[in-house]
């Protein structure tokens, strides 16, 4: 059962990160507008920050995908630490850089942060694979 839960968490992580990365990389209007709000507060070029964030999210999804197939603890720890840091940063932006936090994004970020904490606690219990 634990293996199934772990794989579901991995798939959810990949799906959500990809879902949020694509609009950023395609410069969809809603995504662009959000980063313009951030630019006013953090004084970082909105387009650069949007593209950087989209590439980071896609890279994170790729790391988790690699982790699914090779079960390397180090890659898993890097991936889920990256997810935790990304979600904490997203929460910071929602509360301190956006005029009014979008509650749906806050809930998603908290959910993913909790999943990453769970995964970081359980990764050490993976079966060892010799390379």
């Amino acid at each position: 059962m634990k293996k199934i839960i772990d794989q579901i968490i991995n798939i959810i992580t990949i799906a959500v990160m990809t879902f949020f990365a694509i609009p950023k990389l395609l410069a969809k209007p809603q995504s662009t507008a959000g980063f313009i709000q951030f630019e006013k507060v953090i004084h970082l070029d909105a387009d650069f920050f949007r593209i950087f964030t989209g590439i980071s999210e896609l890279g994170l999804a790729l790391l988790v995908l690699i982790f699914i197939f090779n079960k390397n603890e180090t890659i898993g720890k890097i991936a889920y630490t990256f997810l935790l840091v990304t979600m904490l940063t997203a929460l910071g932006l929602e509360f301190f850089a956006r005029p009014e936090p979008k509650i749906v994004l806050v809930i998603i970020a908290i959910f993913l942060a909790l999943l990453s904490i769970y995964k970081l606690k359980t990764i050490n219990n993976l079966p060892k694979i010799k390379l």
Side-chain angles (χ1 to χ4, degrees):
M1 186 67 181
K2 183 187 173 312
K3 286 182 182 182
I4 293 170
I5 291 170
D6 284 342
Q7 292 304 341
I8 290 170
I9 291 171
N10 290 334
I11 291 166
I12 288 171
T13 300
I14 292 168
V16 172
M17 289 295 95
T18 303
F19 177 81
F20 282 103
I22 302 280
K24 290 175 181 81
L25 295 173
L26 295 177
K28 295 293 183 181
Q30 187 173 0
S31 180
T32 304
F35 281 86
I36 289 170
Q37 289 177 340
F38 298 152
E39 179 179 38
K40 294 174 184 172
V41 176
I42 62 174
H43 306 291
L44 190 60
D45 180 68
D47 287 330
F48 168 78
F49 190 40
R50 177 182 48 78
I51 292 167
F52 174 80
T53 303
I55 291 170
S56 296
E57 290 170 344
L58 218 47
L60 188 129
L62 184 61
L63 267 176
V64 174
L65 186 62
I66 292 167
F67 174 60
I68 285 174
F69 289 107
N70 76 6
K71 308 253 188 297
N72 182 294
E73 282 184 18
T74 303
I75 292 174
K77 288 177 183 178
I78 291 169
Y80 281 97
T81 299
F82 188 17
L83 178 62
L84 181 59
V85 169
T86 301
M87 292 305 104
L88 293 176
T89 303
L91 287 168
L93 288 170
E94 282 300 317
F95 288 112
F96 301 112
R98 198 182 292 274
E100 185 175 321
K102 297 194 178 211
I103 195 68
V104 172
L105 296 179
V106 169
I107 291 169
I108 292 168
I110 290 170
F111 176 71
L112 288 174
L114 292 173
L115 289 182
S116 65
I117 291 167
Y118 168 81
K119 288 293 286 188
L120 287 167
K121 286 184 166 205
T122 61
I123 284 175
N124 290 333
N125 298 329
L126 289 175
K128 303 294 182 214
I129 296 177
K130 294 181 183 178
L131 298 176

